[in-house]
């Protein structure tokens, strides 16, 4: 129905009325969604009799999920990731109604979302199925490296913010120390005299800092020179703040941290479950049967 580029690089927008969502006991099943539709229709009928209108929403469907937004403010009300959607169907008895079941990321409960669209109910259902198909293929091709890289970039951005804050605090401390040192020198030196500074000291009249403990170049009492400090060439190179260099291509499956590995396992499990589209299973296991 849509080009892969439209779903992978952009999204397909649809307008619909949102009847609401309700918890269901099963992740799949026509009877399951029928009960949910009847329940939400009845609740919406009561609210309509009280003068409440059915809210309009905008659906943005892509390989990353189905976003439910306010059509005016563009505020995201719900963000349903595709690997969490297990069932999608349009009501054959009411052509305006379509639904999908999604596993909530926080409570792990299965929620059925029900919408009303006068013209696009069946098309929206098929678009979600096509997006699921493309998303699973992309996940298998990348091997989860896209998720790992985004996680590392987010961690680096957070680390940069922390370092910038620390840098600002250190600058303030250095400025305070410099002011205190100048005041001390003014009180300690005679009027009109200038205290000479050694060319080997810094602005604080101190020996420059070295990460290696300074060793005296003079001979020891027995006349021998101290042994040279061994170099640490085998250590991992680190930056100014002690962090290891970031390698976006070092994303081996065995190197995943526990939180990222659990996320990848969750995505793999969700995609393996497949998406049932009114009796048609959108599952690529094995892939050869779909080619």
């Amino acid at each position: 129905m849509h080009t892969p580029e439209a779903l992978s690089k952009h999204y397909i927008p649809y307008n619909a009325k949102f009847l609401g969502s309700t918890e269901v006991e099963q992740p799949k099943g026509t009877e399951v969604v029928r009960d949910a539709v009847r329940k939400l229709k009845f609740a919406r009928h009561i609210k309509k009799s009280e003068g409440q209108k059915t809210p309009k929403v905008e659906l943005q469907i892509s390989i990353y999920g189905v976003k439910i937004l306010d059509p005016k403010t563009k505020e995201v009300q719900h963000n349903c990731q595709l690997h969490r959607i297990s069932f999608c169907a349009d009501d054959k008895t009411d052509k305006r109604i379509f639904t999908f079941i999604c596993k909530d990321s926080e409570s792990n409960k299965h929620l059925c979302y029900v919408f009303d669209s006068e013209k696009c109910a069946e098309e929206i259902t098929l678009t979600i199925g096509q997006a699921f198909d493309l998303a699973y293929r992309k996940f298998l091709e990348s091997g989860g490296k896209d998720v790992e890289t985004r996680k590392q970039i987010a961690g680096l951005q957070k680390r940069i913010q922390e370092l910038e804050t620390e840098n600002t605090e250190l600058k303030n401390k250095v400025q305070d120390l410099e002011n205190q040192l100048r005041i001390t020198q003014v009180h300690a030196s005679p009027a009109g005299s200038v205290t000479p500074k050694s060319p080997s000291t810094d602005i604080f009249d101190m020996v420059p800092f070295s990460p290696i403990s300074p060793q005296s170049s003079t001979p020891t009492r027995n006349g021998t020179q101290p042994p040279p400090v061994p170099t640490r060439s085998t250590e991992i190179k680190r930056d100014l703040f002690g962090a290891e260099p970031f390698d976006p291509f070092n994303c081996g499956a065995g190197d995943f941290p526990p939180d990222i590995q659990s996320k990848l396992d969750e995505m793999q499990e969700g995609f393996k479950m497949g998406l049932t589209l009114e009796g048609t299973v959108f599952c690529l296991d094995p892939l050869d049967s779909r080619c």
Side-chain angles (χ1 to χ4, degrees), residues 208-225:
F209 169 74
S210 174
I212 303 176
S213 300
Q215 300 289 338
S216 175
S217 59
T218 58
T220 57
R221 293 182 179 179
N222 57 7
T224 60
Q225 293 288 344

Side-chain angles (χ1 to χ4, degrees), residues 197-216:
K197 291 185 178 181
S198 172
S200 62
T201 59
D202 59 11
I203 61 173
F204 304 108
D205 203 20
M206 300 174 64
V207 177
F209 169 74
S210 174
I212 303 176
S213 300
Q215 300 289 338
S216 175

Side-chain angles (χ1 to χ4, degrees), residues 240-259:
L240 179 62
F241 304 99
E244 297 181 9
F246 168 63
D247 184 4
F249 300 100
N250 186 15
C251 301
D255 299 332
F256 288 153
D259 57 335

Side-chain angles (χ1 to χ4, degrees), residues 18 26 36 48 55 65 69 83 95 98 106 116 124 144 146 163 177 184 195 198 209 220 225 241 244 256 273 275 290:
F18 186 33
Q26 301 295 330
K48 190 176 182 179
L69 303 90
H83 70 273
K95 296 294 184 180
F98 69 94
E106 297 181 359
D116 184 335
I124 295 174
D146 291 345
L163 293 175
L177 290 173
T184 303
T195 304
S198 172
F209 169 74
T220 57
Q225 293 288 344
F241 304 99
E244 297 181 9
F256 288 153
M273 180 182 291
L275 171 65
R290 300 288 299 173

Side-chain angles (χ1 to χ4, degrees), residues 101-119:
I101 298 177
C102 181
K103 188 177 182 181
D104 185 68
S105 59
E106 297 181 359
S107 63
N108 283 331
K109 296 180 179 178
H110 292 94
L111 302 178
C112 183
Y113 295 81
V114 181
F115 303 87
D116 184 335
S117 177
E118 295 182 0
K119 299 179 181 180

Side-chain angles (χ1 to χ4, degrees), residues 16 114 162 232:
V114 181
E162 294 175 352
R232 298 182 293 177

